[in-house]
Amino acid sequence: MRKSKRIYVIKLCILAGLVLALALISLCFGTVNYSLDQVFKVIFKMSKTGAFIITRLRLPRVYAAILCGLAFGIAGNIFQTLLNNPLASPDIIGVSSGSTVAAVYCILFLRLNRNLVSFISVIAGIVVALVIYKISYRDKFSTNRLILVGIGFQAFFSALTNWMIMKAAEYDVPTAMRWLNGNLNGIVTESLPMLFIVVIVCGLTVIGFRHSLQSIALGEQIAVVHGVRVNRVRALLIICAVMLIAFATAIAGPIASIAFLSGPIAARICGRNQSNILSSGLVGAILVLAGDFVGENLLATRYPVGVVTGILGAPYLIYLLIYQHRKGKA
C-alpha cells in the first residue's frame, strides 16, 4: 500500500511538473519569444522589457487555462464517478448548456460587458443544473434518468443557441462564436479571483469527500454500509461540480471535451483504484494549456482552444460508444 501511494504521489508530481512546463512554454513562446530569465524578471518586477505582453496578455491566459482545466477536469471526474458512466460528462448531459445559452443571449441581444455576461451565465448554469437534478429525482435518484434528462436539455439548448445565432445581427455573431468555441483571448487577471476561489473551495471539498465518492461509485448499498449519507453527499458533490463548470464556462466558454477526457486519461495514468480527483484536474489543465498553445502557435491559422480540444474528444467519444455497445451497455 505504501509503495502504491508513493507511486501515485510521484505521478501527481509529474503531472504538476507538466502543467508548470507548459505554462512556462506558453509564456516564453510566441510571435515575440522571451527567455525564462526575462519572464521571471518581469513577473517579479525586476525588468520592464516585455512587461505588457507577459503580464497583461500571456499571464492571464495561462492562469485562466490552468484554472479552467482544473475546474473542468475535477467536475468531469465527479460526474463520471458519481454516475458510474464514462458518458456522464457535464458538456454531454447538459450541465453547461444553461451557462452557454445565457451567455450567448447576453452577447447577441443585450450586448453586455464580459463581467456581466460571466455573472449571468453562472446563475443560469446553476439554475439549469438544479432543474435537471430536480426532474431526475422523483421518488429516488436515478443515474439513467439524470443522463437522459441532461441529454434532452443539451439538445434543446443547442437548438436554442443556433436559433439565436441565426436571428442575431451579423456583426455580433463572431463574438458569440468565439465564446462558444471556448476561447482564452481577452481574459484579464481581474476576472479570475472568483474562479480561483471556487476551484480551491470546491476542489478541497471534493477531495475531502473522495472516499465517500468512491463508495457511492461501488453502489448505494455499499456506501450505506460504509456509513455514507448518500443523498447528502451526492447533492454536495453535484453542487461542487456545477459550480466549477458554471464559473469556468463563464470565463472561457464551454471548452470542448476537457471534462470528458480528463477522468479516463487520469485513470489510465494513475490507476482506476485511486481517487483521481486531483489527477483529473491536472490532466484537464495540461489539455487546456496544450490545446491553447497548439491553436495559437503551431497551426497555419490561429484557432480557439475549444476547437483543438474538440478534435481530440470526437474520436474518443466514437471509440467509447463502440466499446460500450460491444459490452452491451450502450
Side-chain angles (χ1 to χ4, degrees):
M1 288 293 291
R2 289 182 179 178
K3 184 179 179 181
S4 175
K5 287 183 179 180
R6 196 179 302 120
I7 293 172
Y8 178 68
V9 171
I10 291 171
K11 289 178 178 178
L12 284 180
C13 291
I14 292 172
L15 290 173
L18 283 173
V19 171
L20 179 60
L22 284 168
L24 292 174
I25 291 171
S26 298
L27 289 173
C28 297
F29 194 88
T31 53
V32 180
N33 294 334
Y34 295 98
S35 65
L36 278 176
D37 181 57
Q38 286 176 298
V39 171
F40 284 126
K41 282 182 178 179
V42 170
I43 292 174
F44 294 108
K45 299 180 180 179
M46 297 168 61
S47 173
K48 294 184 179 180
T49 304
F52 178 80
I53 292 176
I54 293 174
T55 60
R56 299 300 297 177
L57 298 181
R58 295 189 181 181
L59 264 180
R61 193 184 191 100
V62 169
Y63 289 154
I66 294 172
L67 290 174
C68 289
L70 286 169
F72 284 122
I74 293 172
N77 179 269
I78 292 170
F79 276 104
Q80 289 169 344
T81 306
L82 200 60
L83 304 180
N84 198 23
N85 192 318
L87 290 173
S89 170
D91 48 356
I92 291 177
I93 64 172
V95 174
S96 59
S97 58
S99 297
T100 301
V101 168
V104 170
Y105 180 78
C106 291
I107 292 169
L108 293 179
F109 299 105
L110 302 182
R111 297 184 178 87
L112 301 179
N113 62 52
R114 187 160 192 154
N115 291 332
L116 277 175
V117 170
S118 297
F119 175 76
I120 294 172
S121 65
V122 165
I123 299 301
I126 293 171
V127 169
V128 169
L130 290 175
V131 171
I132 293 173
Y133 184 79
K134 182 66 177 177
I135 294 174
S136 305
Y137 194 100
R138 292 181 181 175
D139 297 329
K140 64 177 182 177
F141 181 80
S142 170
T143 298
N144 292 332
R145 193 183 301 132
L146 177 66
I147 293 173
L148 290 173
V149 171
I151 290 174
F153 268 82
Q154 177 71 15
F156 171 73
F157 283 128
S158 294
L160 186 59
T161 301
N162 291 332
W163 178 81
M164 286 192 291
I165 290 172
M166 290 179 63
K167 291 293 184 180
E170 290 184 9
Y171 51 81
D172 288 327
V173 171
T175 304
M177 291 303 296
R178 282 193 295 271
W179 190 89
L180 278 171
N181 285 319
N183 199 345
L184 299 175
N185 289 329
I187 292 176
V188 293
T189 308
E190 290 76 14
S191 64
L192 297 176
M194 197 62 200
L195 176 60
F196 175 77
I197 293 170
V198 169
V199 169
I200 294 297
V201 172
C202 292
L204 291 176
T205 302
V206 175
I207 290 172
F209 283 90
R210 64 189 183 280
H211 297 303
S212 299
L213 178 61
Q214 288 179 298
S215 297
I216 294 173
L218 295 173
E220 286 194 23
Q221 293 180 343
I222 294 175
V224 171
V225 171
H226 289 169
V228 178
R229 296 182 177 180
V230 176
N231 290 333
R232 291 185 182 181
V233 172
R234 184 193 288 120
L236 176 63
L237 292 174
I238 288 178
I239 289 170
C240 288
V242 169
M243 292 288 286
L244 289 167
I245 288 293
F247 275 88
T249 302
I251 293 294
I255 303 177
S257 302
I258 300 300
F260 181 51
L261 291 172
S262 298
I265 293 174
R268 282 292 183 91
I269 294 172
C270 297
R272 298 186 182 276
N273 295 326
Q274 301 288 345
S275 172
N276 287 310
I277 295 166
L278 185 55
S279 57
S280 296
L282 291 172
V283 170
I286 291 169
L287 290 175
V288 177
L289 283 166
D292 186 53
F293 179 77
V294 170
E296 281 291 303
N297 301 297
L298 301 186
L299 301 177
T301 304
R302 290 187 176 183
Y303 291 100
V305 58
V307 173
V308 179
T309 57
I311 292 171
L312 292 174
Y316 178 72
L317 176 59
I318 295 170
Y319 159 77
L320 189 60
L321 289 171
I322 295 172
Y323 177 76
Q324 293 282 76
H325 178 70
R326 287 179 177 176
K327 288 186 69 175
K329 294 182 180 180

